[in-house]
Amino acid sequence: MGAYILRRLLLMVPTLIGIMVINFALTQFVPGGPVEQVLARIEGEGDVFRNISGGGDAGQVQSVGDARYAGARGLPPEFIAELERQFGFDKPPLERFLTMMAGYLRFDFGESYFRSISVVELVLEKMPVSITLGLWSTLIAYMISIPLGIRKAVRDGTPFDTWTSGAIIVAYAIPGFLFAVLLIVLFAGGSYWRIFPLRGLTSDNFEDLTLIGKALDYLWHIALPVLSTTIASFATLTLLTKNSFLDEINKQYVMTARAKGLTERQVLYGHVFRNAMLIVIAGFPGLFLGVFFGSSLLIETIFSLDGLGRLGYEAAVARDYPVVFGTLYVFGLVGLLVGILSDLMYVFVDPRIDFERRAG
């Protein structure tokens, strides 16, 4: 197993470099870079993309200043050159990429272009929101989906299985953000009841509350956002659990166990459970990572939560490249490590699996 892990770790290096090269190359052709963002703000027009589109006077490129920038009308070339130097755009792209990667190897991600704060501090500042959504949503999905999936497998084809499957399909078909809007309308003072707060992770008087009061206030605030992010993963995991158990129940060793006189409970939890739960338990890291990074932007926006989803979106729109590439590097690294962790979970759940022998 040690040789397999070593090979996977070594493969991470070219994979991560490939991810960074592709994304860095793409940004070289994207209009509205950091310099143009600053120039548009100085001109008081706020949106660099309106300048680029050619609307109004935007199509009239400045007569004084650098002709490469549509928002540089009337600005001296020396000022624009200084901006390029501050952002590092006075150097060739290859040199900028190598300098960036050298810093990333030391986990030095630099500072945000527009927030005057290091990328690490910025990510740590937004992390609690994303951890809240990812961790709680994943745990709740497992706590509901596994017992429900087992029950559906045992009662396969019964009315219980039919109506729960219908409910699960409906839940899977509802987008998380639409479900979030529905919850706000019903329970956050939208049109009916005002039971839950509309925004934030804590109340304004959070620091004045007791320890129990803080815990209850926290749970009160995260109830609707977590429920919104759980609905899709809950449906998928339930059906995965059911199908996994059905596949194991129909195997020969189950019939042999029943023939020996074991009760259904002993067969189900003494023999079937371990094999059927292999794919479900081993998929926990990947599911958590997917909820943690993948589905938070709209939910964070709807519930006014300042997390990694909004951070990534705002950084991409503002062309805040240190934040964009820093978070991309970290998320890519974490994703690759989670892939290895998922394989280790397989071996932990079922020691009979030997990836090293299969790789050979």
Side-chain angles (χ1 to χ4, degrees):
M1 192 64 183
Y4 171 78
I5 295 176
L6 180 60
R7 283 196 299 269
R8 289 290 301 272
L9 290 174
L10 292 176
L11 283 174
M12 285 175 53
V13 177
T15 304
L16 195 57
I17 292 176
I19 293 173
M20 299 302 298
V21 167
I22 293 173
N23 285 273
F24 184 85
L26 289 175
T27 60
Q28 307 307 306
F29 304 100
V30 176
V35 175
E36 289 194 350
Q37 295 283 343
V38 173
L39 295 177
R41 295 179 186 183
I42 293 175
E43 292 291 327
E45 300 182 21
D47 186 1
V48 68
F49 301 105
R50 183 159 59 89
N51 297 339
I52 297 173
S53 65
D57 295 332
Q60 302 173 6
V61 179
Q62 77 291 351
S63 59
V64 179
D66 195 327
R68 290 174 296 172
Y69 301 109
R73 297 184 301 276
L75 295 175
E78 295 80 8
F79 175 77
I80 298 174
E82 178 61 21
L83 277 180
E84 290 184 332
R85 188 193 64 78
Q86 290 181 5
F87 288 130
F89 290 104
D90 57 331
K91 300 175 182 177
L94 179 58
E95 183 179 349
R96 285 190 281 121
F97 177 78
L98 295 177
T99 302
M100 180 184 72
M101 292 303 297
Y104 287 2
L105 291 176
R106 305 188 305 270
F107 289 92
D108 178 11
F109 303 107
E111 289 191 357
S112 167
Y113 283 159
F114 305 111
R115 304 192 187 208
S116 299
I117 184 175
S118 71
V119 175
V120 173
E121 292 178 2
L122 194 57
V123 170
L124 292 177
E125 179 184 318
K126 313 297 182 183
M127 190 75 76
V129 171
S130 296
I131 289 180
T132 291
L133 293 178
L135 185 59
W136 283 108
S137 297
T138 305
L139 290 177
I140 292 174
Y142 269 81
M143 291 172 61
I144 297 176
S145 298
I146 291 177
L148 180 59
I150 295 174
R151 187 68 173 172
K152 285 174 63 61
V154 172
R155 303 184 62 179
D156 182 45
T158 64
F160 172 81
D161 180 46
T162 302
W163 73 260
T164 53
S165 294
I168 288 172
I169 293 173
V170 171
Y172 184 76
I174 299 176
F177 72 90
L178 186 60
F179 188 59
V181 173
L182 176 63
L183 292 177
I184 289 176
V185 171
L186 292 178
F187 303 113
S191 299
Y192 295 92
W193 303 281
R194 190 177 183 84
I195 301 175
F196 296 97
L198 184 59
R199 57 176 56 88
L201 280 182
T202 57
S203 300
D204 294 336
N205 63 336
F206 181 77
E207 296 299 330
D208 300 328
L209 300 175
T210 63
L211 183 60
I212 297 179
K214 289 181 178 179
L216 293 176
D217 182 75
Y218 171 74
L219 294 174
W220 182 47
H221 279 77
I222 69 172
L224 297 187
V226 167
L227 188 58
S228 301
T229 56
T230 304
I231 183 169
S233 57
F234 154 77
T236 304
L237 189 58
T238 301
L239 294 178
L240 176 63
T241 303
K242 175 193 173 182
N243 294 333
S244 180
F245 268 80
L246 280 178
D247 184 57
E248 292 296 325
I249 288 174
N250 294 324
K251 289 185 177 179
Q252 181 65 39
Y253 75 89
V254 176
M255 291 186 288
T256 302
R258 287 171 177 165
K260 290 182 179 179
L262 297 180
T263 64
E264 283 298 314
R265 186 176 184 85
Q266 289 174 323
V267 172
L268 186 63
Y269 293 101
H271 296 272
V272 175
F273 186 84
R274 178 176 178 179
N275 295 326
M277 288 303 295
L278 173 62
I279 188 172
V280 178
I281 295 177
F284 178 86
L287 179 63
F288 170 69
L289 190 68
V291 176
F292 184 70
F293 293 133
S295 60
S296 58
L297 172 59
L298 292 175
I299 302 301
E300 290 175 9
T301 302
I302 291 172
F303 289 100
S304 300
L305 301 174
D306 196 9
L308 291 176
R310 289 184 64 183
L311 172 66
Y313 171 75
E314 292 172 357
V317 170
R319 303 296 190 266
D320 196 346
Y321 291 148
V323 178
V324 172
F325 290 125
T327 53
L328 177 66
Y329 180 85
V330 173
F331 295 166
L333 180 62
V334 171
L336 294 171
L337 289 174
V338 165
I340 299 177
L341 181 60
S342 295
D343 290 346
L344 295 178
M345 289 288 289
Y346 277 107
V347 177
F348 175 76
V349 175
D350 189 351
R352 294 173 299 176
I353 295 178
D354 189 349
F355 287 106
E356 188 171 346
R357 184 177 59 188
R358 293 187 179 189

